[in-house]
Amino acid sequence: MEYPGGKKQHFRHLLFFAFHRGQKAAEATRNICNVYGDGVIGESTARKWFAKFKNGDFDVDNTPRNGRPSDFDEERLKALLKEDGHQTSRELAEKMNCDHKTILNHLHSMGFAEKLGAWVPHELSKVNKENRLQIASQHLARHRATSGHKQRFLYRIVTGDEKWCLYINMKQRKEWVAPGDAPKPRVKRDLHPNKIMICI
């Protein structure tokens, strides 16, 4: 169905008509939903427009909200995040010449969230990963080939771990991550300052 001036504006005209008929916002909402379907307009929305009409503002056009200009270039924002997802909203705002709250509004509307990537001790190459997979597969095959529960290969291994604790607390910056994506792992750098090792 085609609506004059658009669906939302059409409903605003209906609210304007209902207001001048002396109806309440709740009654106007029920009448519109009875004709156009449940949930097409919320009572809170109707109350907002009725409050505007009561204050003498009869403009049914949706005035753009401050800090979110209609010509905002979200594609450029995505490109900047692709270059470096660790940029703050203020750094992005400076590059896009707008307020940082505008950046935050668009990031949230696009589904982006700030997350911390996991610290990893080393950046593994493709060969490193293939070697680890091969060794793990060999261990698993040996475990399955051993008979007897207590004699099985993996059950006879005593594991240990160690942890370097630096005297200087290393911090990392959060990264803006798109819906469904995970933050990139961060490789620990400069592990030569004073530290202590905890062994388990």
Side-chain angles (χ1 to χ4, degrees), residues 84-139:
D84 182 8
H86 298 93
Q87 300 177 84
T88 66
S89 60
R90 295 186 185 278
E91 290 171 339
L92 292 167
E94 185 176 348
K95 292 181 179 179
M96 298 196 65
N97 194 28
C98 64
D99 186 78
H100 82 101
K101 291 183 179 179
T102 302
I103 296 293
L104 289 174
N105 288 336
H106 281 277
L107 286 171
H108 293 150
S109 68
M110 292 158 60
F112 279 81
E114 276 190 304
K115 296 182 180 180
L116 287 171
W119 281 117
V120 293
H122 306 287
E123 187 172 8
L124 299 177
S125 65
K126 183 179 179 180
V127 175
N128 296 146
K129 295 177 182 179
E130 290 175 349
N131 288 338
R132 290 191 175 196
L133 176 60
Q134 182 182 5
I135 294 171
S137 299
Q138 291 173 352
H139 287 339

Side-chain angles (χ1 to χ4, degrees), residues 30-85:
R30 286 195 302 270
N31 291 339
I32 293 174
C33 290
N34 286 339
V35 175
Y36 294 92
D38 292 339
V40 295
I41 188 172
E43 186 175 328
S44 60
T45 301
R47 291 184 186 279
K48 181 191 74 172
W49 285 100
F50 268 52
K52 285 185 62 176
F53 300 151
K54 189 174 182 180
N55 290 331
D57 184 357
F58 304 124
D59 185 3
V60 295
D61 291 328
N62 194 20
T63 305
R65 286 174 285 178
N66 292 334
R68 295 192 65 181
S70 58
D71 59 348
F72 185 87
D73 190 352
E74 288 191 347
E75 292 303 317
R76 187 181 173 216
L77 178 57
K78 289 180 181 178
L80 289 172
L81 290 173
K82 190 173 182 180
E83 292 175 7
D84 182 8

